[in-house]
């Protein structure tokens, strides 16, 4: 009886503080997807702005429904072969009690699942930046549904699901270096190798049309990332979430400064786009590592990522792959760096007692990180390329060349981001003008 009393006393009970905190974090992560839309939307040319916004926003719709129907069950259900999960009681979320706790934690299952939902939403949205200007919206929507099912849900189980092979191996991924950023970056590379380059790549100027939008998006991402990272500890009982919060700020600041310094030395200017991109690179790199490293380690992780990601974005011109908005250079490279650097900078004083090479722990954790990094990279790249190939050969992935040149917004959405005519209205408005008006004026909406 005494043993039973002890076990009952030790069982977690619902914490209203942790529950409230996690709901706020979930909302912050949701905000990151519109933030990403603005970040990407400002980086494209004006004729592609709405399409870029919609490629992120559609993920909120598609992935949410899939998560309810079966995604949560596949990612976090009972393990099968260390590769996938399943729990029939979670299909449609119909058999989950309101106060049923997530195993081992003080928050309800509903809170955990909605927090993880927001990760599932933003991950395919990240891919979209590599495909700017040239993908049919219907094909993109179908790709999101298939990719989430075939790639994201299984990889999330590998990394975070009880019984997943990476989880059992001891691969450290605090908040998504492998499952989110490497996964999305590798997928982006796989797809662009299949669908090819934009018309005019390396010939026409393709500068961002609105750097203020880029900075707004980067600011929203930075803000939301505190929920993304600190919330991933699922509570505030031991200070690890607070460490992650601090390291998120520290690494992001270091990466932004490092990118700008590199940019000044290499190109002679401190650019706004560089500041925004450097901040995102730091956020990406600290995502897997922030619970394992000290704040000084976070500075190192951020600075290394800032410089190497800045260098990596130029590789597309050297190797000839058209990564429109540098998803590969920032998310894939940043995710790989952040994940592998755990093997060197883990202090043993954060989320676990695991120590990296620089703290006397040898290379054991580094090799574990390598296993997680390169398995996710290879699986996502190959599976994504196959999906893109099949879609391209069936319904077609790309818009016609004329539509790409004229503007994908008008072709795919029958709208434009900005109305320069002053007439207002959308695609259905009349553009008829008196016969005496010159032809050039009649083409103002083009």
């Amino acid at each position: 009886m005494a043993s039973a009393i002890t076990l009952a006393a030790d069982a977690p009970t619902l914490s209203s503080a942790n529950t409230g905190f996690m709901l706020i974090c979930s909302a912050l992560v949701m905000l990151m997807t519109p933030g990403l839309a603005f970040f990407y939307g400002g980086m494209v040319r004006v004729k592609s702005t709405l399409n870029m916004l919609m490629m992120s926003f559609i993920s909120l719709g598609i992935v949410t429904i899939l998560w309810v129907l079966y995604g949560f069950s596949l990612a976090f259900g009972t393990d099968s072969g260390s590769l996938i999960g399943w729990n029939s009681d979670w299909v449609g979320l119909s058999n989950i009690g309101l106060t049923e706790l997530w195993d081992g934690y003080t928050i309800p299952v509903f809170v955990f699942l909605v927090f993880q939902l927001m990760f599932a939403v933003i991950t395919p949205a990240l891919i979209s930046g590599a495909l700017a200007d040239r993908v049919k919206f219907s094909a993109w929507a179908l790709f999101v549904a298939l990719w989430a099912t075939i790639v994201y849900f299984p990889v999330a189980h590998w990394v975070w699901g009880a019984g997943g092979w990476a989880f059992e191996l001891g691969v450290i991924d605090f908040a998504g270096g492998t499952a989110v950023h490497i996964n999305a970056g590798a997928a982006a590379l796989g797809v662009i190798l299949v669908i090819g380059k934009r018309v005019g790549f390396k010939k026409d100027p393709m500068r961002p049309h609105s750097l203020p939008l880029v900075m707004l998006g980067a600011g929203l991402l930075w803000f939301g990332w505190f929920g993304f990272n600190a919330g991933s500890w699922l509570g505030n009982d031991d200070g690890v979430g607070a460490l992650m919060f601090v390291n998120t700020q520290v690494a992001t600041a270091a990466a932004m400064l490092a990118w700008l310094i590199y940019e000044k030395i290499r190109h002679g200017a401190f650019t706004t786009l560089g500041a925004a991109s450097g901040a995102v690179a730091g956020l990406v790199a600290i995502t897997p590592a922030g619970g394992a490293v000290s704040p000084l380690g976070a500075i190192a992780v951020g600075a290394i990522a800032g410089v190497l990601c800045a260098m990596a974005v130029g590789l597309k011109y050297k190797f000839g792959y058209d990564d429109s908005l540098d998803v590969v250079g920032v998310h894939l490279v940043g995710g790989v760096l952040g994940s592998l650097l755990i093997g060197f900078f883990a202090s043993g004083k954060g989320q676990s007692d695991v120590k990296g090479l620089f703290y006397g722990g040898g290379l054991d954790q580094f090799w574990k990180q390598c296993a997680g990094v390169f398995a996710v990279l290879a699986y996502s790249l190959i599976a994504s390329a196959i999906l893109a190939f099949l879609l391209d050969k069936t319904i077609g992935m790309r818009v016609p060349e004329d539509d790409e040149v004229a503007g994908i917004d008008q072709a795919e959405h029958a709208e434009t981001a900005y109305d320069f005519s002053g007439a207002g209205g959308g695609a259905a408005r009349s553009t008829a003008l008196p016969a005496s008006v010159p032809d050039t004026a009649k083409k103002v909406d083009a």
Side-chain angles (χ1 to χ4, degrees):
M1 180 64 70
S3 176
I5 293 173
T6 301
L7 290 173
D10 291 341
T13 57
L14 191 150
S15 165
S16 58
N18 285 340
T19 297
F21 170 72
M22 290 306 302
L23 289 172
I24 293 170
C25 287
S26 301
L28 287 172
V29 182
M30 180 272 162
L31 183 65
M32 291 173 67
T33 298
L36 180 72
F38 284 123
F39 181 69
Y40 283 167
M43 290 175 69
V44 295
R45 290 170 289 179
V46 68
K47 64 184 180 179
S48 303
T49 306
L50 293 180
N51 180 252
M52 204 70 259
L53 295 173
M54 283 291 289
M55 289 178 82
S56 287
F57 267 79
I58 195 63
S59 187
L60 281 162
I62 293 171
V63 179
T64 296
I65 301 304
L66 297 184
W67 192 252
V68 170
L69 295 178
Y70 58 80
F72 179 59
S73 182
L74 288 174
F76 291 100
T78 303
D79 176 70
S80 178
S82 298
L83 296 175
I84 197 66
W86 186 253
N87 186 334
S88 58
D89 286 340
W90 292 350
V91 174
L93 309 183
S94 56
N95 291 300
I96 300 173
L98 293 178
T99 58
E100 181 182 343
L101 297 183
W102 184 243
D103 190 27
Y105 291 89
T106 61
I107 60 174
V109 173
F110 273 117
V111 175
F112 176 77
L113 74 85
V114 78
F115 180 68
Q116 286 294 335
L117 163 61
M118 301 312 173
F119 281 66
V121 164
I122 197 171
T123 306
L126 292 172
I127 302 169
S128 67
L131 316 179
D133 297 329
R134 60 201 188 275
V135 175
K136 292 179 182 176
F137 188 69
S138 56
W140 168 248
L142 183 55
F143 177 85
V144 167
L146 294 172
W147 188 86
T149 302
I150 295 169
V151 181
Y152 182 80
F153 299 156
V155 170
H157 182 76
W158 297 356
V159 175
W160 293 317
W165 70 263
F167 182 87
E168 295 299 324
L169 180 63
V171 176
I172 294 175
D173 186 353
F174 195 98
T178 52
V180 176
H181 297 290
I182 293 173
N183 203 3
L189 181 59
V191 175
I192 59 181
L193 291 177
V194 171
I195 67 170
K197 308 172 184 67
R198 288 169 291 178
V199 175
F201 176 64
K202 293 203 289 188
K203 297 178 182 178
D204 300 334
M206 298 181 179
R207 292 184 290 270
H209 89 280
S210 176
L211 287 169
L213 271 187
V214 174
M215 294 299 281
L216 172 64
L220 289 172
L221 285 170
W222 194 333
F223 177 67
W225 224 293
F226 290 116
F228 192 89
N229 280 356
S232 290
W233 199 238
L234 305 183
N236 281 314
D237 298 326
D238 56 9
V240 176
L243 172 67
M244 185 53 158
F245 194 109
V246 170
N247 284 346
T248 299
Q249 177 69 15
V250 168
T252 307
M256 180 180 66
L257 295 176
W259 186 302
L260 288 172
I261 291 169
Y262 170 83
E263 192 175 55
K264 176 64 174 178
I265 294 171
R266 181 71 176 82
H267 303 291
F270 304 111
T271 69
T272 307
L273 184 60
S277 299
V280 173
L283 290 164
V284 169
I286 203 60
T287 290
V293 304
S294 69
L296 287 177
I299 292 177
V301 170
I304 292 169
V307 172
L308 293 185
C309 288
M311 296 171 65
V313 297
L315 293 178
K316 63 185 179 183
Y317 299 111
K318 181 177 181 180
F319 294 109
Y321 61 89
D322 186 8
D323 175 16
S324 305
L325 307 183
D326 302 318
V327 178
V328 176
V330 173
H331 292 277
L332 177 57
V333 173
V336 168
L337 288 171
S339 298
L340 296 184
L341 288 173
I342 293 170
F344 297 95
F345 290 105
S347 67
K349 298 179 180 180
Q351 67 186 87
S352 71
D353 59 3
V354 171
K355 294 182 179 180
L357 179 64
F358 297 159
Y359 288 81
L363 287 171
D364 287 351
Q365 190 61 40
F366 176 74
W367 297 122
K368 292 178 182 179
Q369 296 304 118
C370 285
V373 163
F374 294 109
V376 172
L377 194 161
Y379 176 68
S380 183
L381 189 152
I382 294 169
S384 303
I386 292 172
L387 281 175
F389 177 81
L390 293 175
L391 288 173
D392 194 45
K393 295 302 180 182
T394 52
I395 64 173
M397 283 286 284
R398 293 192 62 149
V399 298
E401 183 174 324
D402 289 346
D403 289 342
E404 182 180 335
V405 172
I408 196 170
D409 283 358
Q410 191 68 55
E412 290 291 298
H413 306 289
E415 298 172 306
T416 56
Y418 307 101
D419 178 15
F420 297 110
S421 71
R429 69 182 185 275
S430 172
T431 56
L433 294 172
S436 59
V437 176
D439 287 344
T440 53
K442 295 180 182 179
K443 297 176 181 178
V444 68
D445 289 329

